[in-house]
Amino acid sequence: MIIIGEKLNGAIKAVAQAIKARDNNFIRDLATRQLESRADYIDICSGIPDQDTEVLEWMIDLIQTDHPDVRFSIDSPNPDTILACMDKCRNPGIINSVSLESGKTEKLFPAVAEKKGWNVIALLLDNTGMPTTVEKRMENFDGILAEAQKYGIAENRLFIDPLVFSVATTPEGFLNFIGASKLIRESHPDIHIISGLSNISFGLPYRKAINHAFLIGAMLNGMDSAIMDPLNRDMLGGVYATEALLNYDEYCIEYLSAYRDDLFGVQK
Ligand code: THG
């Protein structure tokens, strides 16, 4: 699994406060802990539209001073912010995100095509709003793929987010998510499939049970990347265990290594 650490998000109250106070140490610590939990990318999202570029550039500078090899997931609704952040990053990262909403791919795909090593998350969304069926997701997938081909972006640089809604309000949401995931996985083995783990449980109690079931169900149906909390040790255990069961981790080498380094928090 390719893990994107979600913790540096202004939607989380403590992070919003740290951003407001420009609390360097809070930000540095959350980045360090996520990297110690072997996050492949650190997602950064300000949640403040009028200071978006400034806040994200501040985080990038801070974190890459401590961790010269860090790769960022630039999480912003504003393509100009994403472009500015790409220039700041020492290492190639991942754009979060494009979609078929007007202007997004036109602005960001040329930068992906030009900048070596950068990857891109594409939401299966267009100007008509959230997709509610498998068919609409696949129509949007075809649209994204056509755009990527136009700019010569290889399929293994694309992370498709089929979008998932809460099971509390959208009873068939998970089935539609995996319906699209399966079709994409079967027809395009090199394309990555990604999701945020927590939308599925919105509005329900004991969210971690639902998030955990989602994680495993989605991994069995082609999801190979997640925006998640790598400090959540139960969830991290689920990731490593499922990878081993699916024979992506021969002889459980990664699982055992994570256990030895106590990433699951169960060592004495
Ligand atoms: N797809 C894409 N990008 C996304 C999302 C997506 N970016 C934002 C969001 N969804 C993913 N990020 C978060 C960040 C924080 C939380 C949820 C989603 C959150 N975290 C809790 C906290 O830190 O307090 C803890 C969660 C836990 O313990 O597991 O609520 O869907 N492309």
Side-chain angles (χ1 to χ4, degrees), residues 165-172 202:
F165 311 110
S166 174
V167 64
T169 51
T170 312
E172 74 293 358
F202 204 74

PDB file of all heavy atoms in Angstrom, residues 165-172 202:
ATOM      1  N   PHE A 165     -18.993   7.681  -0.229  1.00  0.00           N
ATOM      2  CA  PHE A 165     -19.857   8.469   0.655  1.00  0.00           C
ATOM      3  C   PHE A 165     -20.218   7.642   1.878  1.00  0.00           C
ATOM      4  O   PHE A 165     -20.052   6.424   1.881  1.00  0.00           O
ATOM      5  CB  PHE A 165     -21.123   8.898  -0.092  1.00  0.00           C
ATOM      6  CG  PHE A 165     -20.818   9.511  -1.424  1.00  0.00           C
ATOM      7  CD1 PHE A 165     -21.128   8.843  -2.593  1.00  0.00           C
ATOM      8  CD2 PHE A 165     -20.171  10.729  -1.491  1.00  0.00           C
ATOM      9  CE1 PHE A 165     -20.809   9.394  -3.829  1.00  0.00           C
ATOM     10  CE2 PHE A 165     -19.847  11.287  -2.722  1.00  0.00           C
ATOM     11  CZ  PHE A 165     -20.162  10.617  -3.890  1.00  0.00           C
ATOM     12  N   SER A 166     -20.758   8.312   2.868  1.00  0.00           N
ATOM     13  CA  SER A 166     -21.061   7.608   4.110  1.00  0.00           C
ATOM     14  C   SER A 166     -22.115   6.522   3.908  1.00  0.00           C
ATOM     15  O   SER A 166     -23.142   6.748   3.249  1.00  0.00           O
ATOM     16  CB  SER A 166     -21.559   8.580   5.173  1.00  0.00           C
ATOM     17  OG  SER A 166     -21.976   7.845   6.299  1.00  0.00           O
ATOM     18  N   VAL A 167     -21.859   5.380   4.503  1.00  0.00           N
ATOM     19  CA  VAL A 167     -22.822   4.281   4.443  1.00  0.00           C
ATOM     20  C   VAL A 167     -24.095   4.639   5.219  1.00  0.00           C
ATOM     21  O   VAL A 167     -25.155   4.050   5.010  1.00  0.00           O
ATOM     22  CB  VAL A 167     -22.168   2.966   4.945  1.00  0.00           C
ATOM     23  CG1 VAL A 167     -21.789   3.060   6.409  1.00  0.00           C
ATOM     24  CG2 VAL A 167     -23.066   1.759   4.714  1.00  0.00           C
ATOM     25  N   ALA A 168     -23.994   5.665   6.067  1.00  0.00           N
ATOM     26  CA  ALA A 168     -25.174   6.101   6.823  1.00  0.00           C
ATOM     27  C   ALA A 168     -26.216   6.743   5.903  1.00  0.00           C
ATOM     28  O   ALA A 168     -27.410   6.636   6.144  1.00  0.00           O
ATOM     29  CB  ALA A 168     -24.764   7.085   7.916  1.00  0.00           C
ATOM     30  N   THR A 169     -25.730   7.398   4.837  1.00  0.00           N
ATOM     31  CA  THR A 169     -26.657   8.143   3.972  1.00  0.00           C
ATOM     32  C   THR A 169     -26.756   7.555   2.566  1.00  0.00           C
ATOM     33  O   THR A 169     -27.689   7.854   1.826  1.00  0.00           O
ATOM     34  CB  THR A 169     -26.186   9.606   3.834  1.00  0.00           C
ATOM     35  OG1 THR A 169     -24.804   9.595   3.457  1.00  0.00           O
ATOM     36  CG2 THR A 169     -26.348  10.353   5.146  1.00  0.00           C
ATOM     37  N   THR A 170     -25.773   6.738   2.179  1.00  0.00           N
ATOM     38  CA  THR A 170     -25.721   6.186   0.823  1.00  0.00           C
ATOM     39  C   THR A 170     -25.530   4.683   0.922  1.00  0.00           C
ATOM     40  O   THR A 170     -24.406   4.186   0.863  1.00  0.00           O
ATOM     41  CB  THR A 170     -24.548   6.820   0.031  1.00  0.00           C
ATOM     42  OG1 THR A 170     -24.590   8.234   0.204  1.00  0.00           O
ATOM     43  CG2 THR A 170     -24.615   6.495  -1.438  1.00  0.00           C
ATOM     44  N   PRO A 171     -26.638   3.944   1.091  1.00  0.00           N
ATOM     45  CA  PRO A 171     -26.525   2.508   1.388  1.00  0.00           C
ATOM     46  C   PRO A 171     -25.715   1.721   0.360  1.00  0.00           C
ATOM     47  O   PRO A 171     -25.031   0.771   0.711  1.00  0.00           O
ATOM     48  CB  PRO A 171     -27.980   2.032   1.407  1.00  0.00           C
ATOM     49  CG  PRO A 171     -28.801   3.256   1.606  1.00  0.00           C
ATOM     50  CD  PRO A 171     -28.030   4.418   1.061  1.00  0.00           C
ATOM     51  N   GLU A 172     -25.793   2.119  -0.908  1.00  0.00           N
ATOM     52  CA  GLU A 172     -25.107   1.357  -1.953  1.00  0.00           C
ATOM     53  C   GLU A 172     -23.731   1.959  -2.281  1.00  0.00           C
ATOM     54  O   GLU A 172     -23.066   1.533  -3.224  1.00  0.00           O
ATOM     55  CB  GLU A 172     -25.976   1.283  -3.218  1.00  0.00           C
ATOM     56  CG  GLU A 172     -26.087   2.559  -4.049  1.00  0.00           C
ATOM     57  CD  GLU A 172     -26.834   3.723  -3.383  1.00  0.00           C
ATOM     58  OE1 GLU A 172     -27.338   3.571  -2.241  1.00  0.00           O
ATOM     59  OE2 GLU A 172     -26.879   4.810  -3.981  1.00  0.00           O
ATOM     60  N   PHE A 202     -18.923   8.598   8.097  1.00  0.00           N
ATOM     61  CA  PHE A 202     -19.390   9.909   8.549  1.00  0.00           C
ATOM     62  C   PHE A 202     -20.783   9.807   9.165  1.00  0.00           C
ATOM     63  O   PHE A 202     -21.663   9.155   8.618  1.00  0.00           O
ATOM     64  CB  PHE A 202     -19.391  10.879   7.359  1.00  0.00           C
ATOM     65  CG  PHE A 202     -19.285  12.299   7.789  1.00  0.00           C
ATOM     66  CD1 PHE A 202     -18.074  12.806   8.242  1.00  0.00           C
ATOM     67  CD2 PHE A 202     -20.399  13.135   7.790  1.00  0.00           C
ATOM     68  CE1 PHE A 202     -17.959  14.119   8.659  1.00  0.00           C
ATOM     69  CE2 PHE A 202     -20.297  14.447   8.213  1.00  0.00           C
ATOM     70  CZ  PHE A 202     -19.078  14.937   8.645  1.00  0.00           C
TER      71      PHE A 202
END
